[in-house]
Amino acid sequence: MRSPHERSSTRPSPLLAWRPALLILLAACSTTATDDQPLTSIDVAFEGQSSAFEFRLRRVIEDLLIDFEKHPEDEAPLYDAAQDLRDHYQTLGFPDAKVSYRLERGRRPRVVFVVDEGPRVTIEEVTLEGNHALGDDELRALWSRTQSGLVGTGDPYFVAEELAAWRVSMRALYGLRGFLDAKVSAPEVTRPPGSSAARVRFTIDEGTRYSVADFAVAAELPLDRARLGLDQEVGADYDRDRLEMLRQRARLQLESDGYPAPHIELGIERDGAAHTVHARLSGSAGKRAKVVGVEIEGLDRTARSVIDRAIRFHAGEWYDGSKVEETTREAYLTGLFRRVDVERRPASADGSELILVVVVEELKARELDFLAGYGSYESLRGGIAFTDRNVLGRGHRATVGARASFKSLGLSASWTVPNVLGTKTSLTTAGYVREREEPTFTDRSRGVDVALARNLTRSLRGRVGYALQSRDANTSDDLVRGAAPSAFEIGSVFAELVLDRRDSPLYPAHGHREELKVESARSFLGGTVDLDRVSWSATLFHSLAEDVVVGLGLSGGITWPHDETGLPVQERFFNGGESSVRSFKEARLGPLSVTGVPEGGQFYNVFGAELRFPIVGALHGAVFGDAGNVGKDADAYGLSDLRYGIGAGLRLVLPIGPVRLDGAVNPDRRPGEETWVLHLSVGLPF
């Protein structure tokens, strides 16, 4: 049995959470102003209330107070207001709440609402009895409840309306699963008088599960029973959702067979004595139609060939609804259109011939974006990027941009060609020039890369390519560089897989993301450095309650150099900073030279765990723990000498991403290391 502490709910997207938070804040501000400027000319006061903010209570009864102001001789609105306040308290978990009012008439009427809140009650235990076919977990997932506790992880509040709604949902689910006679009792509540804790029990009588006695198809529907698998349903347990899916499949079958507008109904006749149902598909297939023409409307900048590549139907074929859906999907995937519709226009009086018209509305192709951010190491950072996603009307994408901070400056450009050689693979050519000041060295680099990318599944993307770079570095300590060159070229091939099943890239609440990249650099690929590298990362997110999320992350990498001079400092791994182990400043975790300069290493690991929760409005909080290491020798890869960070932080949730303030303590501080470090940045650490 699942604990009542667990909660199943549909969580709203955190990206949109700032909007209601802002509205609540504005409402609070405006209501506070009403202390000097009342909503009405009536003085309103509350006695006995302590758990609900007064401005919220005023909002509950605002309309009724206005009604009373219009007709002060009629006290009915005040009586209704007291009842509404009582109901409001009950939705907050005060089942014993009572509210009355006292009217003091005078030159200016004064209404005093007297509140007896009673204890705020939580549910310490919920018991489901009699359920065998449907498990506790499945039934509890239907319970939308309000949790207690600072971050909503405590026992659920006792709210009669929520329990009643849960009972209805359980009964409905049993009906959908074929238990048409199932009964769910009203909740039995056990609670000592005056207690703040209650126990709730539901008794379930599942009854007998119905089965499908037969599945008929109306004669006017030219359906293929075998393709639909209707005979397999006869004798099977009745499941309304499964039969509804069959109805949808029947419609799609007719559409793929040339019927543009079929109408299918699912009829269910119940036989209570035999505990069976008789299912029947009826309706009308409509007129079968042939495509006699294909047209395109709405193109302005985009070449017709772009749409032609997406179109899956042709003149002379019978209408096929599946090809229409595929055409719409492929057109949207180009990223060039705001709207794509396929209209059916009759070409004959009886509707047996159709012209299919692909109607599109193009997106704005050219964009100028300005970027801004802040990091504890780079300080202010910003950028500008110009993008044309429809170069020459062919759907090619070109981007030119510049980025700068107090530690770096870079220029970049890229060109992406979709559907190379008629496949769903894109080809991207990119080039860049950068200069960046690291704690150990200043790196000046320029390079080009060519990569092929393809979505292997809906959430899995693969990428392979070639990169050629020229690197030059000035180190603050020559002992750190050692015998390795500071100026070199590196030519490499690489392969990359990214699996992303998060619900949001900015504010993930559940899901996971994994990335694996393999690189190999050799002199015959145009460079002067030989090495192999593997790097990886993974994140996992899980919602505990409304806006309460646990995040787990790991990342790491190993580089194997094949030159006797060793690994250039620019190709080494460094650790510590705002998005790694947060008890260290940028790159300060790991081996140091005799002068205290970070040396980097051939491998690294980072592990992180973070609990994120709302505080008030758009302000969220977090507690976290980080661990990581850096090792000099790839052959000694492991988890030895892990360093740790423990801390807490604040996040201001904005549409562009969170503004993040984190403070972390080093629990095993060594000589020369900071006791604690504060980071201010934009974006989540993982």
Side-chain angles (χ1 to χ4, degrees):
M1 180 182 298
R2 181 185 292 177
S3 166
H5 294 270
E6 298 185 50
R7 180 175 186 176
S8 176
S9 62
T10 300
R11 181 184 185 278
S13 171
L15 182 61
L16 303 178
W18 69 278
R19 296 176 62 186
L22 181 59
L23 293 176
I24 291 175
L25 181 61
L26 292 174
C29 295
S30 63
T31 307
T32 302
T34 63
D35 293 339
D36 298 323
Q37 298 177 348
L39 292 170
T40 68
S41 61
I42 306 170
D43 282 335
V44 178
F46 297 88
E47 292 182 0
Q49 65 87 19
S50 61
S51 300
F53 293 112
E54 185 172 320
F55 76 85
R56 293 181 180 174
L57 299 180
R58 289 175 180 266
R59 287 299 182 192
V60 171
I61 60 174
E62 179 180 352
D63 292 342
L64 290 169
L65 293 178
I66 293 174
D67 291 343
F68 176 70
E69 182 182 21
K70 294 178 180 177
H71 304 284
E73 72 286 351
D74 182 8
E75 295 187 20
L78 300 182
Y79 175 83
D80 292 341
Q83 301 306 304
D84 286 356
L85 289 173
R86 181 202 62 187
D87 295 343
H88 177 68
Y89 268 102
Q90 290 180 351
T91 64
L92 298 177
F94 296 90
D96 300 335
K98 298 177 182 178
V99 181
S100 60
Y101 74 91
R102 182 174 69 249
L103 176 60
E104 301 172 358
R105 294 188 180 274
R107 294 182 58 186
R108 183 171 180 174
R110 184 171 187 265
V111 180
V112 180
F113 289 96
V114 182
V115 180
D116 178 7
E117 293 181 343
R120 196 171 194 182
V121 180
T122 57
I123 302 174
E124 64 180 5
E125 181 181 4
V126 173
T127 304
L128 301 177
E129 293 185 355
N131 58 305
H132 305 290
L134 302 184
D136 282 9
D137 289 350
E138 192 171 9
L139 294 176
R140 287 177 184 272
L142 303 172
W143 183 18
S144 177
R145 65 259 198 200
T146 306
Q147 306 284 130
S148 63
L150 179 63
V151 294
T153 57
D155 288 339
Y157 285 119
F158 180 88
V159 180
E161 289 183 358
E162 294 177 350
L163 294 174
W166 185 21
R167 178 193 180 198
V168 172
S169 298
M170 286 192 286
R171 175 65 186 87
L173 181 60
Y174 269 106
L176 291 174
R177 297 293 174 81
F179 296 89
L180 302 181
D181 300 325
K183 298 177 182 178
V184 180
S185 71
E188 303 173 38
V189 181
T190 302
R191 173 180 161 236
S195 173
S196 61
R199 297 185 177 187
V200 177
R201 181 177 66 180
F202 287 93
T203 302
I204 300 170
D205 179 6
E206 294 181 333
T208 302
R209 189 172 192 178
Y210 281 57
S211 61
V212 180
D214 54 64
F215 208 133
V217 176
E220 61 270 19
L221 295 179
L223 290 170
D224 187 330
R225 292 181 63 94
R227 284 169 59 190
L228 286 176
L230 296 186
D231 292 335
Q232 299 174 12
E233 289 296 322
V234 178
D237 290 332
Y238 169 63
D239 187 311
R240 179 74 190 203
D241 288 341
R242 192 174 68 249
L243 297 191
E244 182 62 29
M245 290 179 60
L246 282 171
R247 184 185 73 85
Q248 296 294 340
R249 286 170 54 191
R251 179 183 61 81
L252 294 175
Q253 183 185 118
L254 290 175
E255 288 185 357
S256 66
D257 288 344
Y259 298 91
H263 174 70
I264 307 293
E265 294 181 355
L266 173 64
I268 299 294
E269 183 180 343
R270 174 177 169 180
D271 185 344
H275 296 103
T276 60
V277 297
H278 302 275
R280 186 173 188 270
L281 293 177
S282 61
S284 171
K287 189 72 174 179
R288 196 180 190 197
K290 181 166 288 189
V291 179
V292 296
V294 176
E295 298 179 0
I296 302 173
E297 294 181 358
L299 293 180
D300 180 17
R301 185 181 182 191
T302 305
R304 181 187 175 99
S305 59
V306 174
I307 291 292
D308 285 338
R309 287 197 298 267
I311 293 177
R312 298 293 183 263
F313 44 78
H314 305 282
E317 299 177 343
W318 289 108
Y319 175 86
D320 188 335
S322 63
K323 292 183 178 181
V324 171
E325 291 186 4
E326 188 177 357
T327 296
T328 303
R329 181 173 63 253
E330 291 297 323
Y332 271 121
L333 287 176
T334 64
L336 303 177
F337 306 109
R338 177 180 290 107
R339 182 177 65 89
V340 180
D341 290 325
V342 177
E343 296 183 358
R344 303 188 301 262
R345 298 179 183 175
S348 62
D350 61 356
S352 61
E353 294 181 340
L354 292 175
I355 296 175
L356 296 184
V357 183
V358 182
V359 182
V360 300
E361 181 181 348
E362 294 180 337
L363 284 166
K364 183 180 178 181
R366 293 169 178 164
E367 294 179 350
L368 185 63
D369 296 319
F370 296 91
L371 311 173
Y374 185 89
S376 55
Y377 175 68
E378 289 186 301
S379 297
L380 290 174
R381 52 195 177 201
I384 184 172
F386 172 76
T387 301
D388 188 336
R389 63 166 61 89
N390 196 5
V391 179
L392 304 177
R394 302 290 178 177
H396 296 190
R397 183 186 185 97
T399 301
V400 179
R403 296 195 180 198
S405 72
F406 282 93
K407 298 289 186 179
S408 64
L409 177 65
L411 303 174
S412 62
S414 66
W415 186 291
T416 299
V417 180
N419 302 312
V420 177
L421 301 177
T423 70
K424 294 183 179 180
T425 302
S426 64
L427 172 65
T428 299
T429 304
Y432 66 88
V433 177
R434 298 191 194 110
E435 181 171 331
R436 179 178 170 85
E437 179 185 339
E438 302 286 359
T440 300
F441 59 92
T442 298
D443 181 36
R444 291 178 293 275
S445 61
R446 59 186 184 273
V448 295
D449 60 71
V450 180
L452 295 169
R454 180 167 183 163
N455 291 326
L456 305 176
T457 67
R458 184 184 296 270
S459 53
L460 179 64
R461 183 172 179 83
R463 185 168 169 262
V464 296
Y466 168 78
L468 179 63
Q469 305 174 65
S470 176
R471 310 287 294 272
D472 188 5
N474 290 330
T475 57
S476 57
D477 186 339
D478 288 340
L479 294 177
V480 172
R481 178 171 60 85
S486 59
F488 59 91
E489 284 73 42
I490 180 168
S492 64
V493 291
F494 60 87
E496 182 181 73
L497 283 175
V498 178
L499 177 66
D500 193 346
R501 291 181 175 171
R502 298 172 298 170
D503 60 331
S504 167
L506 282 181
Y507 296 97
H510 58 81
H512 55 90
R513 182 184 187 276
E514 292 80 32
E515 180 174 352
L516 175 66
K517 186 174 183 179
V518 180
E519 304 170 76
S520 181
R522 292 291 186 273
S523 56
F524 65 81
L525 293 173
T528 58
V529 172
D530 290 356
L531 59 84
D532 293 307
R533 178 182 291 125
V534 178
S535 56
W536 61 86
S537 66
T539 55
L540 174 67
F541 303 93
H542 179 68
S543 294
L544 298 179
E546 190 76 13
D547 288 336
V548 180
V549 178
V550 170
L552 303 175
L554 65 87
S555 60
I558 309 175
T559 300
W560 293 271
H562 302 302
D563 297 307
E564 294 182 357
T565 55
L567 188 64
V569 66
Q570 304 100 306
E571 297 297 327
R572 299 175 194 170
F573 294 115
F574 294 84
N575 207 339
E578 64 194 43
S579 296
S580 56
V581 182
R582 282 165 277 185
S583 56
F584 289 84
K585 291 184 177 180
E586 185 76 14
R588 296 295 300 181
L589 188 158
L592 303 177
S593 70
V594 294
T595 58
V597 176
E599 294 183 309
Q602 295 179 7
F603 73 84
Y604 86 105
N605 293 285
V606 174
F607 304 92
E610 185 167 284
L611 175 67
R612 303 165 187 167
F613 51 86
I615 298 177
V616 57
L619 184 64
H620 287 212
V623 292
F624 58 83
D626 300 323
N629 67 348
V630 174
K632 284 188 173 183
D633 187 354
D635 293 333
Y637 172 80
L639 302 179
S640 61
D641 199 27
L642 285 174
R643 310 303 310 283
Y644 301 93
I646 302 172
L650 298 173
R651 287 96 170 87
L652 183 61
V653 177
L654 300 175
I656 59 172
V659 176
R660 174 167 58 97
L661 177 65
D662 285 335
V665 174
N666 186 344
D668 58 345
R669 177 179 173 272
R670 297 175 183 175
E673 295 179 347
E674 304 282 348
T675 304
W676 60 275
V677 176
L678 196 65
H679 296 285
L680 178 63
S681 59
V682 177
L684 295 174
F686 56 83

